[in-house]
Amino acid sequence: MADSKPIRLDKAISQVTDLSRAEVKRAAKQERITVNGVAVSDPSSKIYESDELCLDGELLGEAGPRYFMLNKPLGYVCATKDGEHPTVLDLLDEPNKHKLHIAGRLDIDTTGLVLVTDDGQWSHRITSPRHHCDKTYYAQLADPIDDSAIDKFEKGIWLNNEKTRTKPAKLEILYRNEVRVTISEGRYHQVKRMFAALGNRVLELHRERIGQIDLDEDLAEGDYRPLTEDEIISVGNEST
Ligand code: URA
């Protein structure tokens, strides 16, 4: 199997140690870093996931859990691999990407906030229905919607082929055919199917928020950043 995309040595080392990029650079110049047993003094050298990294003769372990938010563009799938389409993981320039997973998928034609991590317990608190982690979407609809839909969303909607109503959802009507919806479940194509059940159709769907984490306005489509400590610990603080 082909190795993963190479990444810069200084980035890889600073991810698995407390060293800043500048400190990694100094350590490399002092020949304190080896890659597969060979000292490497150029911090911009490219290395692969499978390479063995040592600092001062100590084998570097794995980095602690990692948490990222990403602004998903149209046309990307929320999967770790796909034969046909690019995946959101293709947008990440990180080592050991095979260890990361997506905490709550979006459809290929949905844009916006996607959280990626290697912490399975943390992502479970986002995706498990028991934890009632709210997700907020902006949607553009094919047809105008009237206020009676607010109550229907609040009471729960019967979706095709489902045995239970959807849990109470909040619908905010922004304009005649623009809405903001907050749901606490993650049923298959849930938002699109809720509007379909009312005879409407979602033309555009964009996730703005998961729990207390808002999509960073400074992230252009396709960009990502690590979560802040506050964002990480906010998950699980929702009511259960
Ligand atoms: N609901 C949908 O219908 N699609 C998504 O991508 C997310 C929620």
Side-chain angles (χ1 to χ4, degrees):
M1 195 172 71
D3 212 335
S4 59
K5 228 169 88 186
I7 65 162
R8 282 177 62 113
L9 178 70
D10 51 358
K11 182 165 187 179
I13 301 270
S14 63
Q15 252 154 3
V16 293
T17 64
D18 288 329
L19 299 186
S20 65
R21 294 263 193 120
E23 288 166 329
V24 174
K25 197 169 166 180
R26 259 197 309 279
K29 296 275 178 250
Q30 293 161 349
E31 303 210 326
R32 292 163 54 205
I33 296 172
T34 58
V35 178
N36 302 324
V38 179
V40 176
S41 57
D42 178 2
S44 67
S45 318
K46 295 287 198 286
I47 61 151
Y48 291 89
E49 271 177 26
S50 53
D51 288 332
E52 195 177 88
L53 299 179
C54 290
L55 174 66
D56 297 331
E58 293 269 324
L59 186 61
L60 295 177
E62 307 268 306
R66 294 177 287 170
Y67 308 88
F68 303 103
M69 75 158 70
L70 181 142
N71 187 359
K72 177 190 172 301
L74 281 176
Y76 282 74
V77 290
C78 281
T80 43
K81 269 201 186 114
D82 189 277
E84 214 180 325
H85 304 284
T87 76
V88 293
L89 291 185
D90 294 335
L91 296 166
L92 302 183
D93 180 18
E94 298 296 327
N96 293 323
K97 281 204 286 191
H98 63 282
K99 298 194 174 154
L100 295 168
H101 62 269
I102 297 146
R105 292 161 189 261
L106 291 179
D107 298 335
I108 188 166
D109 57 353
T110 303
T111 57
L113 178 61
V114 170
L115 299 175
V116 178
T117 183
D118 51 10
D119 181 343
Q121 288 187 353
W122 185 84
S123 59
H124 182 72
R125 295 201 290 275
I126 292 173
T127 54
S128 149
R130 277 201 315 117
H131 287 277
H132 305 290
C133 176
D134 285 345
K135 286 105 188 164
T136 301
Y137 297 85
Y138 160 86
Q140 207 172 92
L141 305 173
D143 299 312
I145 188 155
D146 68 74
D147 286 352
S148 66
I150 297 175
D151 206 37
K152 292 178 184 150
F153 269 61
E154 174 59 38
K155 288 203 169 104
I157 289 180
W158 287 106
L159 300 179
N160 227 352
N161 296 325
E162 300 257 350
K163 294 198 178 69
T164 54
R165 280 178 201 263
T166 53
K167 296 231 164 64
K170 186 173 167 215
L171 178 67
E172 213 184 318
I173 300 179
L174 306 172
Y175 298 103
R176 279 159 57 78
N177 51 359
E178 285 180 46
V179 293
R180 180 166 289 122
V181 188
T182 300
I183 58 174
S184 64
E185 309 165 277
R187 301 193 199 190
Y188 184 64
H189 295 327
Q190 180 164 342
V191 176
K192 290 176 189 158
R193 289 166 70 211
M194 286 172 89
F195 286 103
L198 303 186
N200 210 323
R201 196 158 57 86
V202 171
L203 298 180
E204 262 182 58
L205 192 60
H206 178 79
R207 185 154 64 194
E208 299 178 332
R209 186 172 165 94
I210 296 176
Q212 296 169 47
I213 304 176
D214 287 303
L215 177 62
D216 190 328
E217 286 176 3
D218 293 335
L219 278 185
E221 281 197 357
D223 282 356
Y224 71 101
R225 68 155 170 82
L227 293 188
T228 64
E229 201 56 35
D230 283 350
E231 287 168 335
I232 296 165
I233 59 175
S234 73
V235 171
N237 289 341
E238 294 83 17
S239 59
T240 52

